[in-house]
mmCIF file of all heavy atoms in Angstrom:
data_model
loop_
_atom_site.group_PDB
_atom_site.id
_atom_site.type_symbol
_atom_site.label_atom_id
_atom_site.label_comp_id
_atom_site.label_asym_id
_atom_site.label_seq_id
_atom_site.Cartn_x
_atom_site.Cartn_y
_atom_site.Cartn_z
ATOM 1 N N CYS A 325 -40.789 17.402 -119.432
ATOM 2 C CA CYS A 325 -41.067 18.220 -120.557
ATOM 3 C C CYS A 325 -39.954 18.159 -121.596
ATOM 4 O O CYS A 325 -40.203 18.056 -122.797
ATOM 5 C CB CYS A 325 -41.303 19.704 -120.118
ATOM 6 S SG CYS A 325 -42.636 19.997 -119.035
ATOM 7 N N GLU A 326 -38.710 18.063 -121.127
ATOM 8 C CA GLU A 326 -37.584 17.904 -122.082
ATOM 9 C C GLU A 326 -37.682 16.579 -122.793
ATOM 10 O O GLU A 326 -37.382 16.466 -124.034
ATOM 11 C CB GLU A 326 -36.266 17.969 -121.350
ATOM 12 C CG GLU A 326 -35.970 19.401 -120.765
ATOM 13 C CD GLU A 326 -34.805 19.427 -119.816
ATOM 14 O OE1 GLU A 326 -34.090 18.327 -119.727
ATOM 15 O OE2 GLU A 326 -34.542 20.459 -119.220
ATOM 16 N N ALA A 327 -38.086 15.527 -122.087
ATOM 17 C CA ALA A 327 -38.267 14.196 -122.787
ATOM 18 C C ALA A 327 -39.363 14.345 -123.815
ATOM 19 O O ALA A 327 -39.219 13.688 -124.823
ATOM 20 C CB ALA A 327 -38.642 13.168 -121.716
ATOM 21 N N ALA A 328 -40.463 15.017 -123.487
ATOM 22 C CA ALA A 328 -41.560 15.149 -124.454
ATOM 23 C C ALA A 328 -41.043 15.914 -125.728
ATOM 24 O O ALA A 328 -41.440 15.534 -126.853
ATOM 25 C CB ALA A 328 -42.730 15.895 -123.833
ATOM 26 N N TYR A 329 -40.326 16.973 -125.477
ATOM 27 C CA TYR A 329 -39.760 17.757 -126.656
ATOM 28 C C TYR A 329 -38.846 16.788 -127.462
ATOM 29 O O TYR A 329 -38.811 16.861 -128.684
ATOM 30 C CB TYR A 329 -38.942 18.900 -126.177
ATOM 31 C CG TYR A 329 -39.801 20.027 -125.542
ATOM 32 C CD1 TYR A 329 -39.450 20.660 -124.408
ATOM 33 C CD2 TYR A 329 -40.982 20.441 -126.254
ATOM 34 C CE1 TYR A 329 -40.255 21.664 -123.869
ATOM 35 C CE2 TYR A 329 -41.774 21.417 -125.686
ATOM 36 C CZ TYR A 329 -41.414 22.043 -124.497
ATOM 37 O OH TYR A 329 -42.221 22.957 -124.019
ATOM 38 N N ASP A 330 -37.971 15.998 -126.806
ATOM 39 C CA ASP A 330 -37.043 15.156 -127.499
ATOM 40 C C ASP A 330 -37.792 14.077 -128.353
ATOM 41 O O ASP A 330 -37.320 13.574 -129.365
ATOM 42 C CB ASP A 330 -36.137 14.395 -126.518
ATOM 43 C CG ASP A 330 -35.165 15.365 -125.852
ATOM 44 O OD1 ASP A 330 -34.965 16.415 -126.410
ATOM 45 O OD2 ASP A 330 -34.668 15.017 -124.790
ATOM 46 N N LEU A 331 -39.021 13.720 -127.861
ATOM 47 C CA LEU A 331 -39.826 12.707 -128.605
ATOM 48 C C LEU A 331 -40.646 13.377 -129.716
ATOM 49 O O LEU A 331 -41.480 12.663 -130.395
ATOM 50 C CB LEU A 331 -40.712 11.938 -127.634
ATOM 51 C CG LEU A 331 -39.948 11.063 -126.561
ATOM 52 C CD1 LEU A 331 -40.908 10.518 -125.567
ATOM 53 C CD2 LEU A 331 -39.264 9.945 -127.360
ATOM 54 N N GLY A 332 -40.510 14.629 -129.889
ATOM 55 C CA GLY A 332 -41.160 15.293 -131.044
ATOM 56 C C GLY A 332 -42.433 16.093 -130.680
ATOM 57 O O GLY A 332 -43.190 16.568 -131.536
ATOM 58 N N ALA A 333 -42.836 16.130 -129.393
ATOM 59 C CA ALA A 333 -44.011 16.810 -129.036
ATOM 60 C C ALA A 333 -43.804 18.358 -129.026
ATOM 61 O O ALA A 333 -42.749 18.774 -128.600
ATOM 62 C CB ALA A 333 -44.488 16.449 -127.643
ATOM 63 N N GLY A 334 -44.799 19.115 -129.498
ATOM 64 C CA GLY A 334 -44.669 20.541 -129.535
ATOM 65 C C GLY A 334 -45.006 21.116 -128.139
ATOM 66 O O GLY A 334 -45.329 20.409 -127.222
ATOM 67 N N PRO A 335 -44.934 22.364 -128.025
ATOM 68 C CA PRO A 335 -45.181 23.106 -126.703
ATOM 69 C C PRO A 335 -46.635 22.821 -126.236
ATOM 70 O O PRO A 335 -46.830 22.485 -125.080
ATOM 71 C CB PRO A 335 -44.989 24.566 -127.018
ATOM 72 C CG PRO A 335 -44.106 24.625 -128.132
ATOM 73 C CD PRO A 335 -44.405 23.428 -129.049
#
Side-chain angles (χ1 to χ4, degrees):
C325 295
E326 292 172 4
Y329 289 136
D330 292 340
L331 293 173

